[in-house]
């Protein structure tokens, strides 16, 4: 048999069997499905601006959707809208922050608004400012106050 004939025979033999290994493909789809299911939880994720450094916590309770009040060294923001400047609030001796109260009362009038407010405060803001924000929330009839924190991963010893 000539080398040309051997080559043609070998080509014909290799052409006949084309096996596809589905096990690896099924493994990939299983991992992809697991990833998608684990990432689609009911956990509310708050977008944390760079201007706010949240304190850490080890709490396991998942938060409910609420009105979010962001407090940092420059401004006080309610659901994305700036309502007051922090230096102006600190210069005032009153515990009530009137623009914040007006915005919270307007949000409270909406039927989907509950009685819970989440304060996303920078970890370095003074307690006096935090007390003013909490007092204003209480006067706007938000009875439940929650604080946004970063989840700290516990280290096992």
């Amino acid at each position: 048999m000539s080398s040309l004939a051997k080559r043609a025979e070998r080509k014909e033999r290799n052409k006949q069997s084309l096996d596809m290994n589905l096990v690896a493909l099924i493994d990939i789809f299983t991992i992809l499905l697991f990833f998608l299911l684990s990432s689609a939880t009911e956990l509310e994720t708050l977008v944390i601006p760079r201007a706010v450094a949240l304190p850490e916590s080890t709490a396991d309770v998942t938060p409910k959707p609420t009105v979010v009040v962001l407090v940092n060294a420059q401004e006080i923001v309610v659901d994305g809208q700036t309502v007051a400047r922090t230096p102006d609030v600190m210069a005032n001796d009153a515990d009530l922050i009137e623009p914040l109260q007006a915005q919270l009362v307007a949000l409270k009038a909406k039927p989907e608004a509950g009685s819970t407010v989440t304060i996303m405060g920078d970890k370095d803001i003074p307690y006096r400012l935090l007390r003013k924000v909490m007092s204003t929330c209480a006067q706007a009839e938000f009875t439940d106050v929650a604080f946004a924190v970063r989840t700290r991963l516990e280290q096992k010893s």
Side-chain angles (χ1 to χ4, degrees):
M1 196 184 269
S2 71
S3 64
L4 189 57
K6 287 181 184 179
R7 190 178 311 160
E9 183 180 323
R10 192 171 46 245
K11 187 176 181 183
E12 191 65 32
R13 186 177 16 155
N14 289 340
K15 191 186 268 187
Q16 291 174 355
S17 64
L18 178 63
D19 291 333
M20 188 175 218
N21 188 359
L22 293 178
V23 174
L25 199 57
I26 291 171
D27 287 344
I28 291 171
F29 282 123
T30 304
I31 291 170
L32 183 63
L33 181 65
F34 176 75
F35 173 75
L36 290 175
L37 288 176
S38 65
S39 65
T41 61
E42 295 181 18
L43 196 77
E44 180 186 7
T45 304
L46 298 174
V47 178
I48 304 169
R50 290 184 185 206
V52 176
L54 295 177
E56 293 183 349
S57 171
T58 57
D60 293 332
V61 180
T62 57
K64 297 179 276 186
T66 63
V67 174
V68 176
V69 177
L70 181 126
V71 183
N72 62 28
Q74 290 80 30
E75 59 190 359
I76 298 173
V77 179
V78 177
D79 282 344
Q81 182 179 2
T82 302
V83 294
R85 290 183 17 86
T86 303
D88 298 340
V89 170
M90 292 300 290
N92 191 350
D93 288 333
D95 277 346
L96 180 66
I97 306 169
E98 291 179 13
L100 175 60
Q101 183 186 25
Q103 184 71 22
L104 290 174
V105 168
L107 289 172
K108 184 75 172 173
K110 294 181 181 178
E112 66 271 2
S115 61
T116 304
V117 64
T118 300
I119 298 175
M120 186 184 295
D122 190 276
K123 67 180 181 178
D124 295 326
I125 61 171
Y127 177 74
R128 187 171 142 233
L129 175 61
L130 185 61
R131 185 174 47 92
K132 287 182 178 194
V133 171
M134 289 189 308
S135 175
T136 302
C137 291
Q139 291 182 20
E141 297 182 8
F142 281 90
T143 55
D144 296 329
V145 177
F147 293 100
V149 292
R150 285 182 31 225
T151 304
R152 178 177 28 161
L153 300 174
E154 293 184 40
Q155 296 178 359
K156 295 179 181 176
S157 302

